[in-house]
Amino acid sequence: MKQLSVIGTGVIGNGWIARALANGWRVAAFDPDPKAEARTRAFVDNAWPSLEKRGLAEGASPDNLRFATSLEAAVDGADLIQENVPERLELKRSILAQIDAAAPPEVLIGSSTSGFKPSDLQQGCQHAPGRVIVAHPFNPVYLLPLVELVGGEATQAEHTERAQALYQAIDMRPLVVRREIEGHIADRLMEALWRESLHLVNDGVATTEEIDAAVVYGCGLRWSLMGTFLTFHLAGGDQGMRHMLEQFGPALKLPWTKLEAPELTDELIDRVVEGCEHQAAGRSVSELDRRRDDFLVELLGLVQKYWPEAEGLEGRI
């Protein structure tokens, strides 16, 4: 039974823990917060019904989780190490350097960072810096299969190949990013939509609920199956993308987009918070988590049904 070692047990770290346990791995976790273990076990309990619906691997059990009393003890015996500490570069460098010093040089170290480049994270690692890569997942990690893999200046092809195999072993779909860039791929796309959404709220064009409805009942439904480019390819009719670009391309020059995020004023914060609280309608975050998870379990089944070739996606990227 393979072991995933998780350093940092916030939402993302706990998501990795639940996914690994569901795929029959042992998990060793470390977090200096004395309340971390209780939170993690409650998180796994809340996620487990959805994981059961998706299907558990042989030997899968929450009992395969242990909390270590130190970082060094957590990485002992690891087949893969996942770092998930807060998004502060110096903190991540420090923790990754400690992991690098404690773990055997052949053990891969993935960072869940959503923004930093791996070459920046590798600085300070003296033991085997090339095995420190970005392995960026998406929340909820225990259900969403995409993981962006990004190598740094010290990373060799063999590190990336081993990373692909390891993350596939916990039922992830690796996307190897061709070159390192802040924010990788998916977050840059999401940030563009998030930025425009904030402008629409700030300018009084729409409420948070109206913007979410535009995504849920419009573009979001298509994106679940085809993504952006193939969706626009269909918009061109029988001639596909070429006709779409010829017909709608000039509109790209129109000043529709706001390239910079709006200033996060108190007024904008209040509008966003009040809008989200209205949408939540008194439901707790854990209730919303379960509703989202039930939906994703069914949606993932549909995606696999209508896009079976995605099983081999990682081999074509």
Side-chain angles (χ1 to χ4, degrees):
M1 184 180 289
K2 290 187 178 297
Q3 175 181 307
L4 175 68
S5 293
V6 174
I7 308 301
T9 59
V11 171
I12 300 301
N14 285 337
W16 281 115
I17 289 170
R19 174 173 281 275
L21 292 172
N23 280 276
W25 284 41
R26 290 181 291 109
V27 176
F30 173 71
D31 191 303
D33 187 338
K35 298 179 180 178
E37 181 171 0
R39 283 200 303 266
T40 294
R41 295 194 182 279
F43 183 101
V44 171
D45 287 344
N46 193 57
W48 207 253
S50 296
L51 291 166
E52 287 179 321
K53 291 177 184 177
R54 286 287 295 158
L56 301 175
E58 183 178 354
S61 172
D63 294 336
N64 291 329
L65 167 65
R66 70 175 175 88
F67 260 73
T69 56
S70 68
L71 180 150
E72 291 76 14
V75 302
D76 183 39
D79 294 283
L80 174 63
I81 301 169
Q82 192 72 29
E83 169 272 313
N84 316 278
V85 301
E87 287 284 285
R88 299 198 297 272
L89 183 56
E90 291 307 316
L91 174 62
K92 282 188 175 289
R93 281 179 178 167
S94 174
I95 296 299
L96 287 167
Q98 293 178 51
I99 297 172
D100 178 57
E106 70 275 8
V107 179
L108 195 87
I109 303 170
S111 172
S112 295
T113 180
S114 61
F116 298 129
K117 296 191 292 185
S119 292
D120 293 333
L121 298 174
Q122 291 171 349
Q123 295 180 23
C125 295
Q126 303 297 320
H127 201 192
R131 47 79 176 265
V132 177
I133 67 169
V134 166
H136 174 233
F138 296 84
N139 186 43
V141 182
Y142 52 90
L143 290 179
L144 295 185
L146 183 65
V147 57
E148 294 177 311
L149 301 180
V150 195
E153 294 174 359
T155 303
Q156 299 178 352
E158 64 182 52
H159 294 124
T160 303
E161 291 168 3
R162 284 200 294 121
Q164 286 181 274
L166 284 165
Y167 287 102
Q168 286 170 5
I170 51 174
D171 202 27
M172 298 295 283
R173 295 292 175 266
L175 189 162
V176 178
V177 180
R178 296 174 183 271
R179 50 180 287 197
E180 56 181 327
I181 182 174
E182 293 88 347
H184 325 313
I185 296 174
D187 264 14
R188 292 179 75 96
L189 298 174
M190 290 189 296
E191 287 295 334
L193 181 60
W194 174 235
R195 181 178 60 242
E196 295 301 312
S197 298
L198 289 177
H199 274 295
L200 292 171
V201 173
N202 192 55
D203 296 344
V205 175
T207 66
T208 61
E209 186 171 20
E210 290 163 350
I211 293 167
D212 283 353
V215 175
V216 170
Y217 297 108
C219 53
L221 289 171
R222 300 181 302 191
W223 287 342
S224 294
L225 177 65
M226 293 184 174
T228 302
F229 283 99
L230 196 56
T231 291
F232 281 138
H233 178 67
L234 269 62
D238 291 340
Q239 298 177 55
M241 179 61 82
R242 184 170 299 280
H243 179 64
M244 194 286 295
L245 289 174
E246 290 172 351
Q247 182 171 354
F248 299 105
L252 297 175
K253 293 185 178 180
L254 292 176
W256 287 350
T257 187
K258 302 285 186 71
L259 294 180
E260 294 184 0
E263 182 180 354
L264 203 57
T265 62
D266 290 341
E267 182 181 4
L268 176 54
I269 291 173
D270 288 343
R271 286 186 185 181
V272 172
V273 171
E274 290 168 7
C276 291
E277 289 177 347
H278 172 74
Q279 289 176 257
R283 291 168 292 192
S284 68
V285 170
S286 60
E287 289 176 301
L288 293 172
D289 278 344
R290 290 296 299 273
R291 181 171 179 261
R292 175 204 62 196
D293 290 357
D294 289 344
F295 171 79
L296 286 175
V297 167
E298 295 188 39
L299 181 61
L300 284 167
L302 285 173
V303 171
Q304 290 171 350
K305 176 181 177 180
Y306 286 94
W307 196 20
E309 61 267 32
E311 293 296 321
L313 181 65
E314 63 278 352
R316 301 200 305 275
I317 293 177

